[in-house]
Amino acid sequence: MIVGIGGVGKTSLATHWAHQVRDSFPDGDLYLDLRGYHADDAVPAEDALEQILRSLDIPGERIPVGTEPRAALYRSLVYGKRILIVLDNAATPQQVRPLLPGSPTCRVLITSRSRLTGLATREGAQRMALDVLPPQRAVEVLARIAGSDRVAAEPDAAAELARSCGYLPLALRIVGGRLAANESLSLSDFAEELRQERLDALTDDEDPTAAVRVVFSLSYRTLQPEAARLFRLLGVAPGPDISVGAVAALVDLPVATTRRLLDALVNAHLVREDSPKRYRFHDLLRVYAAERAAEDPEHAQALRRLLTWYAQVADAAARVFAPNFTRIDIGLPDPTAELPTFADRAEALHWCDQERANLVDSVAQAERAGELTLAWQLPVTMFGEFLVRRPLNDWVDTHLVALRAARATGNQSALAWLHTSIALAYRGLRDYATALEHFDLARAGWQGLGERWAQAWALRDIGDVQHLLGDVASAVTTLTEALDLHIAEGDSFGEATALRLLGAAQHSLGEYDAAIASLLRSLEIRKEHGDQRNVAMVYAALSGVHNSMDDPTKAFDYATQALPLAQSLDDWHTEARTHDALGAALAGLGRPAEAREHWEAALVLLEKLADPDTDTIQRKLA
């Protein structure tokens, strides 16, 4: 069995191979198009057997009535003979079984858009799944049809055309044919047309039935109503793939029922299960599903269910790996769909890592759909993951959308939060001027709301940016003010953060004793909270102070305590900082080879995060 998505070239491959091996079947070959995906024109097994018997020279009056009698006659005629039988476009095992010859000397080759699992389990059929072409091969197909000189003259446009075709052979043939028929059409112009029209452009005017949309519709129309609904609604889902739990929220069904329906789509090659319980569309099928979704009156409600689910799970995950973060009430509704549970920090972070692309796309999708409340709620729930993993560009992009949405909805609390959060991202990108602008807006917003704990948060981070800009004296003043405000509010988590930042500024001023006192108090609070991530960060800071005091032994001791904590948390940025501290301590101890190992480890982690601090480590290695 050759199985795969419509338009992937199953029939072409089958007939190409059949022609090559005809000489191995001296008693003949049979070809039958079962038209299994033409709902009104599919060939039932009884009619298919009549065609086969006539091709085997059985007169019409000798052909019995009924599927079983015809199948028996067919099997007796071909038994012991070497015949190749090609059954094209089969839809179900039931359509195929009566056509199997039952003779070991015959070879049957079946093509189908379905996996035909029943034939594999009961009849022992061997299945070969046919995938789209590799990118280079796809370009070669265009070159063969449209002309190698044209493709060579516009290689980037040719690559884009192949990519826009999803590397699907049928789409490539249509594009190549249109280019061949119109030599004045440049590949760049056609690439722009594909960007604008996609499926409309993938149409053969001389053979409308070969259009990509028509080919997909044949598969779609064979689905049972529940599976067809799921396929349509998947067309609204953002991101490159989707989990079974998210699909269940999208379609408002139990997970077990959803999994069964997804299996039906996988069997029909309308979605792929590339990893356990995660599904994705072929690019062009995603476009087709989106078209079907737009026709479904439920699509807006389904999108709202999915985006709400993403926000709820992101919030639940953050509460596991960042339980001490101060939060605002964002007004998420109670869950109506099953949410995943997380046994520990690692599981919660893994979910966020796995879903980040979907979460980021969800924010833009929410804005496009007019779901403005969700467009700012989602980034707020993602704050913990952004702070730990530091995907700085995603952080900024999502928050710019969220700020527009919060302004449009008039939510002042969300605006103040988002200004604070995006400022942290700009600080990480070393755009300190923009960071300060947002911190100032955040501070003013929190003042207007009377939220003193949040004013302290913004003030504290303003002091940190002043330190980074080299205005260390102002930083100490600002951080001291923030510290006093945190203490007055009884916010021990904020107090510990302010103390760590104050200790860093005091370190820069050469006030080592004051720095150590601030950091030790911060460490005490972090240990009381059981906040291992921040314990590791304070240990690294203490290591740096002792290194500046020409006490590399003490610096090494603190850094050695920090590293295993950071590693156990799977916190790449904190781990990089502890490797950096260990490298500095080892250099001070006269052990440059070991120092290099830790700086190289820090560099790998920071490069993984695309963190601008990579240049600092590179200078140390140089």
Side-chain angles (χ1 to χ4, degrees), residues 98-147:
L99 312 182
L100 299 178
S103 172
T105 58
C106 294
R107 177 76 66 188
V108 182
L109 186 60
I110 303 164
T111 73
S112 180
R113 300 182 193 187
S114 302
R115 298 174 72 185
L116 302 180
T117 303
L119 293 180
T121 55
R122 286 181 52 184
E123 280 75 23
Q126 295 180 333
R127 183 193 296 117
M128 181 178 76
L130 195 60
D131 205 348
V132 296
L133 295 172
Q136 185 54 43
R137 289 290 189 187
V139 173
E140 289 175 12
V141 169
L142 289 178
R144 181 174 300 179
I145 302 171

Side-chain angles (χ1 to χ4, degrees), residues 396-413:
V396 169
D397 290 344
T398 55
H399 279 56
L400 290 174
V401 173
L403 283 167
R404 289 196 296 269
R407 288 191 198 100
T409 57
N411 192 309
Q412 299 304 311
S413 180

Side-chain angles (χ1 to χ4, degrees), residues 310-452:
Y310 275 137
Q312 290 166 337
V313 183
D315 184 61
R319 291 179 186 275
V320 173
F321 65 76
N324 296 311
F325 286 168
T326 308
R327 292 170 168 82
I328 57 171
D329 181 11
I330 61 174
L332 283 175
D334 292 334
T336 57
E338 182 180 340
L339 303 185
T341 56
F342 306 108
D344 52 29
R345 172 189 172 89
E347 274 193 15
L349 263 179
H350 175 71
W351 183 89
C352 290
D353 291 341
Q354 200 170 36
E355 298 291 352
R356 184 186 303 150
N358 293 333
L359 291 168
V360 170
D361 284 355
S362 291
V363 176
Q365 180 87 323
E367 184 182 39
R368 287 194 297 270
E371 295 285 353
L372 299 183
T373 298
L374 280 162
W376 68 255
Q377 286 174 330
L378 277 159
V380 172
T381 67
M382 295 157 67
F383 172 73
E385 200 251 349
F386 284 155
L387 199 61
V388 172
R389 286 293 189 241
R390 295 169 63 84
L392 299 173
N393 291 321
D394 286 343
W395 192 341
V396 169
D397 290 344
T398 55
H399 279 56
L400 290 174
V401 173
L403 283 167
R404 289 196 296 269
R407 288 191 198 100
T409 57
N411 192 309
Q412 299 304 311
S413 180
L415 267 175
W417 174 279
L418 291 161
H419 278 303
T420 311
S421 181
I422 197 173
L424 295 172
Y426 280 118
R427 182 185 67 181
L429 289 166
R430 298 184 183 175
D431 185 350
Y432 300 132
T434 306
L436 281 175
E437 288 176 15
H438 283 283
F439 278 135
D440 287 337
L441 288 168
R443 187 184 181 193
W446 293 126
Q447 284 176 334
L449 292 164
E451 297 286 3
R452 286 169 54 82

Side-chain angles (χ1 to χ4, degrees), residues 149-211:
D149 291 344
R150 292 174 74 183
V151 167
E154 297 184 83
D156 292 342
E160 183 182 348
L161 283 171
R163 187 166 55 251
S164 295
C165 289
Y167 310 113
L168 187 71
L170 173 62
L172 292 163
R173 282 164 44 199
I174 292 171
V175 168
R178 287 191 58 186
L179 288 168
N182 187 351
E183 294 186 3
S184 64
L185 177 62
S186 73
L187 274 66
S188 299
D189 287 344
F190 199 1
E192 176 61 27
E193 181 182 339
L194 266 181
R195 280 196 294 272
Q196 300 297 325
E197 300 181 6
R198 208 64 184 273
L199 294 185
D200 286 337
L202 296 175
T203 302
D204 186 342
D205 293 335
E206 295 184 357
D207 184 8
T209 63

